[in-house]
Amino acid sequence: MKATFITGGARSGKSRFAEEKALKTGKKVIYLATAEALDEEMEHRIKIHRQRRPDNWTTVEEPRYISKVLKEIEFDKKYNDFDIVLIDCLALLVSNWLPLEEALEVSLWDTLRANLLAEVDAMISQMKKMRKDFIIVSNEVGLGIVPEYPLARLYRDLLGEVNQRVAAFADEVIFMVSGLPMKLK
């Protein structure tokens, strides 16, 4: 089992690089997508991502509970022939964990954070049990100015914590800049 974590800014080439890395192995891939088509623009983005995937890849869509999907993949025989799980992306996963009614209520932030990090820890724990390689994609949002609004700061902080946990777990960490990979670990 090998885990590769690919992070970088928006439109830095993370997903394409992750897909090419998986494709070059020649192995069958499970593409675990966290995006939800909540508007027309997101539907278009998802369509483009789907079109890039080879026919021998299978897609599983799950916006919040990756650990449960990984457990299913581990035990369901229909996934035995697949060697790689590509998770795209943790930035959307974190966003999906911020339902507006809870995220706007500051008193709920500690519980929201605890629940999200418990899911991420469960995801990492499940990955450690599996005999598959992982490619995990996320955005790096902590390089700019401090966001003006509390919700944006909460998102930045949560994604930063999630990324740190996944980077610590990963065997390899790659930072994408303008389509170019920089190996960090």
Side-chain angles (χ1 to χ4, degrees):
M1 192 282 295
K2 179 181 178 185
T4 301
F5 181 51
I6 301 168
T7 188
R11 309 304 298 166
S12 64
K14 301 174 305 292
S15 294
R16 186 177 301 275
F17 181 81
E19 292 163 4
E20 289 172 2
K21 186 173 184 63
L23 191 60
K24 285 179 186 175
T25 68
K27 297 176 179 178
K28 289 178 71 178
V29 175
I30 300 166
Y31 192 102
L32 207 165
T34 62
E36 292 183 288
L38 300 176
D39 58 37
E40 189 176 324
E41 185 266 342
M42 202 59 183
E43 282 179 22
H44 181 70
R45 285 178 181 263
I46 290 170
K47 181 181 177 184
I48 291 169
H49 275 254
R50 284 181 181 147
Q51 290 171 344
R52 288 197 316 231
R53 294 179 211 145
D55 292 337
N56 68 335
W57 289 16
T58 192
T59 299
V60 178
E61 295 177 349
E62 174 51 52
R64 293 181 76 190
Y65 296 99
I66 293 176
S67 65
K68 291 178 182 177
V69 172
L70 293 177
K71 189 173 276 191
E72 179 184 329
I73 289 169
E74 180 185 19
F75 293 110
D76 191 330
K77 290 181 181 181
K78 74 180 179 185
Y79 297 113
N80 284 352
D81 293 342
F82 292 86
D83 301 301
I84 297 174
V85 178
L86 194 163
I87 300 169
D88 193 3
C89 88
L90 298 183
L92 288 172
L93 173 79
V94 171
S95 178
N96 296 337
W97 273 86
L98 294 177
L100 216 42
E101 61 277 2
E102 290 179 33
L104 292 177
E105 185 62 48
V106 176
S107 65
L108 299 175
W109 285 10
D110 287 339
T111 301
L112 197 150
R113 177 183 172 274
N115 291 339
L116 169 62
L117 294 179
E119 168 56 25
V120 170
D121 289 343
M123 175 190 78
I124 292 170
S125 177
Q126 186 59 41
M127 284 192 266
K128 289 177 181 178
K129 297 175 187 175
M130 299 172 70
R131 285 190 263 164
K132 298 194 184 303
D133 290 337
F134 293 91
I135 300 173
I136 306 138
V137 178
S138 189
N139 282 37
E140 175 55 56
V141 295
L143 296 174
I145 61 172
V146 175
E148 181 179 355
Y149 301 101
L151 183 57
R153 288 192 298 272
L154 173 65
Y155 174 76
R156 179 214 49 201
D157 294 349
L158 290 174
L159 184 56
E161 279 191 87
V162 167
N163 285 350
Q164 287 180 46
R165 287 179 188 221
V166 174
F169 155 73
D171 301 293
E172 178 181 40
V173 177
I174 296 170
F175 185 69
M176 296 295 297
V177 178
S178 301
L180 300 173
M182 296 179 359
K183 188 170 182 169
L184 303 179
K185 177 179 173 186

